[in-house]
């Protein structure tokens, strides 16, 4: 099981900078990250495309950063920015395809050789058709990055669709129906739009930082909540819900269930 295409830059509107620390801040809202990326892009725009100048600019950016990363083990690269004028795609500003030839990736927090060969866990864990469904449904950098990096969320959503269909939910079938693809986009977009969560929930939904800032998987305490497990709970956790009572959990499950059923309706009509 592995993906046959480049998850970082699959084409069209989708792109991802998660491995460069894009979402690794307590405030990783779309507005906050758009502002951060725009600032980093503007900072590097007029720097001469020479290694010494780029090293200095990147170092200054790192030293001036006030907000610490949410997870210290995930580096935050100052070379990440918008690589198109319309601010629709994120990527490495030092990549030779962006600079016009010179490779300045060594000036960031990773060496170019690492950037060139690294593949994220999603590359090995997702099926090709699953990744292509995310790319087709999430045609913007913010939502695509949130979803493609959360394998359990993708799998959980598809399991719920299959459970409701009482049969396989083939990504190819979903992508062939515009209404189904739009319904899946709205389901995946719960990563950004779901209410009743911490504002820091979207990207690190299933995880929380431990005392040393390392990610620890969360679970639901069913005994404390006084409820039994439900099929929607994996997705509820991936969305970042941390229910303090049964009614909050039940409401979150219902929100997920409604979106799943909306997808299924487009597949059986």
């Amino acid at each position: 099981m592995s993906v046959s295409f480049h998850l970082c830059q699959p084409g069209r509107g989708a792109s991802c900078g998660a491995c460069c620390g894009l979402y690794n801040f307590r405030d990783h809202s779309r507005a906050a990250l758009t502002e951060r990326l725009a600032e980093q892009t503007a900072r590097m725009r007029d720097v001469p495309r020479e290694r010494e100048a780029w090293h200095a600019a990147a170092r200054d950016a790192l030293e001036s950063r006030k907000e610490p990363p949410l997870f210290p083990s995930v580096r935050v690269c100052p070379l990440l920015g918008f690589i198109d004028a319309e601010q629709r795609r994120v990527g490495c500003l030092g990549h030779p395809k962006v600079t016009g030839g010179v490779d300045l990736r060594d000036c960031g927090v990773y060496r170019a050789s690492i950037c060139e060969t690294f593949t994220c866990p999603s590359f090995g864990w997702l099926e090709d058709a699953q990744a292509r469904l995310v790319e087709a449904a999430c045609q913007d950098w913010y939502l695509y990055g949130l979803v493609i990096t959360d394998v359990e969320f993708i799998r959980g959503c598809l399991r719920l669709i299959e459970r409701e269909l009482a049969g396989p939910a083939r990504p190819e079938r979903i992508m062939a129906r515009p209404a189904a693809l739009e319904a899946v986009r709205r389901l995946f977009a719960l990563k950004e739009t779901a209410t009743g969560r911490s504002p820091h929930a979207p990207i690190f939904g299933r995880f929380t930082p431990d005392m040393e800032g390392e990610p620890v998987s969360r679970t639901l305490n069913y005994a404390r909540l006084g409820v039994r497990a439900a099929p929607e709970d994996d997705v509820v956790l991936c969305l970042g819900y941390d229910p303090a009572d049964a009614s909050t959990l039940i409401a979150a499950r219902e929100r997920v269930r409604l979106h799943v059923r909306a997808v299924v309706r487009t597949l059986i009509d």
Side-chain angles (χ1 to χ4, degrees):
M1 182 188 302
S2 64
V3 178
S4 65
F5 62 98
H6 204 292
L7 290 181
C8 298
Q9 299 290 335
R12 293 187 288 181
S15 56
C16 181
C19 64
C20 304
L22 174 60
Y23 302 99
N24 196 21
F25 299 94
R26 292 200 171 275
D27 184 358
H28 46 263
S29 64
R30 182 185 290 269
L33 296 189
T34 298
E35 181 179 359
R36 184 184 301 277
L37 288 168
E39 289 176 354
Q40 292 182 176
T41 304
R43 181 187 296 117
M44 304 306 296
R45 181 179 297 124
D46 297 325
V47 178
R49 290 176 177 174
E50 303 168 352
R51 291 180 181 275
E52 185 174 339
W54 272 60
H55 269 300
R59 183 178 61 251
D60 290 346
L62 289 172
E63 291 176 352
S64 64
R65 182 174 293 147
K66 298 178 181 179
E67 183 182 357
L70 184 58
F71 293 119
S73 60
V74 179
R75 298 182 183 181
V76 179
C77 188
L79 303 189
L80 185 66
F82 288 116
I83 59 174
D84 64 332
E86 297 77 23
Q87 298 188 349
R88 296 187 66 240
R89 293 174 60 199
V90 298
C92 179
L93 300 171
H95 194 284
K97 289 185 178 180
V98 178
T99 65
V102 59
D103 192 344
L104 297 168
R105 288 176 292 179
D106 282 344
C107 302
V109 295
Y110 297 107
R111 295 196 61 79
S113 58
I114 295 176
C115 300
E116 194 70 31
T117 59
F118 176 78
T119 54
C120 68
S122 297
F123 184 85
W125 293 346
L126 285 175
E127 295 177 6
D128 195 77
Q130 293 170 341
R132 291 190 182 280
L133 175 62
V134 176
E135 187 266 336
C138 305
Q139 283 295 301
D140 79 87
W141 62 268
Y142 184 77
L143 181 58
Y144 174 77
L146 285 178
V147 176
I148 199 66
T149 54
D150 195 337
V151 173
E152 289 307 310
F153 176 68
I154 298 166
R155 289 175 174 172
C157 288
L158 291 175
R159 280 196 300 268
L160 291 176
I161 295 171
E162 289 181 342
R163 185 174 183 272
E164 194 73 22
L165 276 173
R170 293 187 297 107
E172 299 89 342
R173 180 184 175 194
I174 295 172
M175 288 187 285
R177 297 193 177 196
L181 189 61
E182 174 58 24
V184 167
R185 187 200 66 78
R186 290 194 295 267
L187 171 60
F188 287 162
L190 287 175
K191 271 284 195 176
E192 180 178 6
T193 63
T195 58
R197 307 171 296 167
S198 160
H200 313 310
I203 182 62
F204 300 114
R206 184 136 200 170
F207 299 92
T208 187
D210 65 12
M211 295 297 291
E212 297 180 352
E214 295 301 310
V216 176
S217 185
R218 297 187 303 109
T219 58
L220 292 170
N221 188 331
Y222 294 109
R224 178 177 62 83
L225 294 170
V227 296
R228 294 179 180 274
E232 293 80 15
D233 289 348
D234 282 343
V235 172
V236 166
L237 279 169
C238 289
L239 288 173
Y241 281 102
D242 187 18
D245 50 57
S247 62
T248 303
L249 175 57
I250 291 169
R253 288 171 173 173
E254 182 61 20
R255 184 172 292 111
V256 172
R257 194 175 297 125
L258 287 172
H259 280 76
V260 168
R261 289 173 177 170
V263 176
V264 171
R265 283 196 298 271
T266 67
L267 296 173
I268 61 177
D269 288 345

